Amino acid sequence: MADSSADTAAPIIPDDFLAILRCVNYDHPRDDGVLRIEGAMLRCAVCGYRYEVDDGIPNMLWDDAIPPDASAAAS
Ligand SMILES: [Zn+2]
């Protein structure tokens, strides 16, 4: 509810939405799969799988998740 005084760009998805999303990887408990914004994607803090976000709608389909060993620049 605060004024938008932040000088950063709006997040790709709202914080309250992000807070309820969880990674769908069955290899770890779902509740552990907290997602964090990484660039234009969401990244699971546990398994590192990434999910694309399109117009504020995260694609949480496991078939579309990007594995952490995909050819991407390591951070
Ligand atoms: Zn995960």
Side-chain angles (χ1 to χ4, degrees):
M1 287 304 195
D3 289 341
S4 58
S5 56
D7 56 0
T8 55
I12 56 175
I13 66 170
D15 282 347
D16 54 351
F17 186 24
L18 180 63
I20 62 172
L21 291 172
R22 292 293 183 272
C23 176
V24 296
N25 189 348
Y26 292 123
D27 285 349
H28 60 70
R30 187 176 175 95
D31 284 348
D32 288 350
V34 176
L35 297 170
R36 295 178 181 172
I37 295 174
E38 183 177 277
M41 295 183 171
L42 303 180
R43 185 177 187 276
C44 175
V46 177
C47 67
Y49 268 75
R50 284 170 295 162
Y51 301 88
E52 294 184 292
V53 179
D54 185 21
D55 280 342
I57 307 298
N59 180 350
M60 301 307 297
L61 295 177
W62 180 243
D63 285 348
D64 291 339
I66 300 169
D69 58 358
S71 60
S75 55

